[in-house]
Amino acid sequence: MEQWVYQVEQWKNEVEEWIYRQPVEQLYVAVGIVFLTFIFFVLLRLLKRTKSNTIVFAGLSGSGKTTLFYQLRDGSSHQGTVTSMDPNEGTFILQSELEKNKKINPVHMVDVPGHSRLRLKLDEYLPQTAGLVFVVDALDFLPNLRAAAEYLYDILTNTIVVKRKVPVLILCNKTDKVTAHTKDFIRKQLEKEIDKLRISRTAISTADIANGHTLGMPGEAFVFSQCVNKVMVAEASGLTGNVSQVEQFIREYVRQ
């Protein structure tokens, strides 16, 4: 034991002598490199740890969010479900990926109730959201255009969505029906309605002024490409299982 203590003491003395022989500037550089390396690895671990796997579904009641949720989870439509007072939530591997012979990251999916009094629950999930799917009823779109545009406007001007640049997919559901509107028609109508909203709301100094975020460019008609976050439009049919475009969106932001 005494021999080991002596050896350690000898090593300590040699290290101290080596340090005293080094120029002060060189020591500062060495300490700085070690410190920066340590900070880099800490930040890298934190970024990996906080990478989100949450996808949030939002939209008006009756748009088909819950049907899409179950199609993605287990390939069934679960028709006849009723509006819940709480979000429909689960963590799972997408149904279409179950038979793949490789490790796949599960998705944490949240179906937020569409009733106006329950939409505040959306704010609870936005801080950890990797992507948001805004579901639109393509069949009964025009009667609900104003309400859908107002809800989408509130999402696109939400402080968290803007600061985190949360990607948004406008998903036109029920496109299997012959009388359903196309995604291009829905996109143009939503842009026109949001353009009216941003003008009227800015004029009376309401939501935009309060949260510091505005949509569009002054003097130009609003289009989704002007948003700071990426806004895309796609089609789906929850009842028939045509959900490939929303799966593609999910896997773009929640890696396998």
Side-chain angles (χ1 to χ4, degrees):
M1 186 66 181
E2 291 180 358
Q3 184 178 358
W4 276 106
V5 172
Y6 174 79
Q7 184 66 51
V8 170
E9 189 69 28
Q10 189 176 5
W11 287 341
K12 176 186 174 185
N13 292 334
E14 290 177 357
V15 170
E16 288 179 350
E17 289 179 9
W18 181 84
I19 291 175
Y20 286 131
R21 291 198 300 268
Q22 305 307 311
V24 176
E25 295 81 5
Q26 188 172 331
L27 290 176
Y28 285 154
V29 171
V31 171
I33 291 173
V34 172
F35 178 76
L36 290 175
T37 303
F38 173 77
I39 294 297
F40 172 79
F41 281 107
V42 169
L43 290 174
L44 191 63
R45 286 181 65 87
L46 286 174
L47 286 173
K48 286 184 177 179
R49 198 176 298 169
T50 57
K51 190 172 180 62
S52 175
N53 70 332
T54 299
I55 296 292
V56 174
F57 278 69
L60 301 180
S61 296
S63 58
K65 301 186 304 299
T66 304
T67 300
L68 288 164
F69 177 93
Y70 286 117
Q71 278 287 3
L72 291 164
R73 192 190 73 172
D74 52 35
S76 64
S77 61
H78 282 243
Q79 295 185 55
T81 55
V82 295
T83 301
S84 173
M85 295 297 289
D86 296 306
N88 196 21
E89 189 172 354
T91 302
F92 48 84
I93 296 174
L94 299 179
Q95 168 67 20
S96 62
E97 298 173 341
L98 288 177
E99 296 181 359
K100 291 185 177 180
N101 295 320
K102 63 178 181 178
K103 185 178 179 181
I104 300 175
N105 291 330
V107 179
H108 180 221
M109 201 170 295
V110 183
D111 164 24
V112 178
H115 195 283
S116 58
R117 289 181 297 178
L118 304 176
R119 290 178 195 167
L120 289 176
K121 292 182 179 291
L122 177 62
D123 292 338
E124 299 176 14
Y125 297 94
L126 287 178
Q128 68 261 23
T129 299
L132 188 145
V133 179
F134 186 80
V135 183
V136 176
D137 186 337
L139 190 61
D140 295 323
F141 171 67
L142 288 177
N144 298 304
L145 171 58
R146 180 73 178 186
E150 288 178 342
Y151 192 2
L152 183 57
Y153 178 94
D154 291 339
I155 289 173
L156 294 177
T157 56
N158 184 284
T159 301
I160 298 174
V161 172
V162 174
K163 287 186 176 180
R164 295 187 66 243
K165 296 184 179 179
V166 177
V168 174
L169 177 70
I170 301 172
L171 189 65
C172 308
N173 191 27
K174 306 181 185 180
T175 53
D176 56 300
K177 306 298 182 182
V178 177
T179 55
H181 296 287
T182 66
K183 67 176 184 179
D184 289 332
F185 176 83
I186 290 173
R187 174 184 56 79
K188 291 176 183 177
Q189 293 304 312
L190 284 172
E191 287 175 339
K192 289 179 181 178
E193 199 64 31
I194 289 177
D195 192 44
K196 296 176 186 176
L197 283 169
R198 74 184 182 108
I199 294 172
S200 61
R201 292 197 183 189
T202 302
I204 59 177
S205 301
T206 56
D208 280 341
I209 303 302
N211 63 26
H213 303 297
T214 57
L215 288 178
M217 305 294 291
E220 296 183 17
F222 172 76
V223 290
F224 290 119
S225 60
Q226 295 168 348
C227 294
V228 296
N229 55 319
K230 191 173 181 180
V231 181
M232 298 146 279
V233 185
E235 295 178 329
S237 172
L239 287 178
T240 63
N242 179 15
V243 292
S244 59
Q245 292 184 33
V246 66
E247 286 178 331
Q248 183 179 350
F249 172 81
I250 291 171
R251 279 311 176 192
E252 183 176 354
Y253 297 101
V254 179
R255 299 294 184 184
Q256 291 185 359

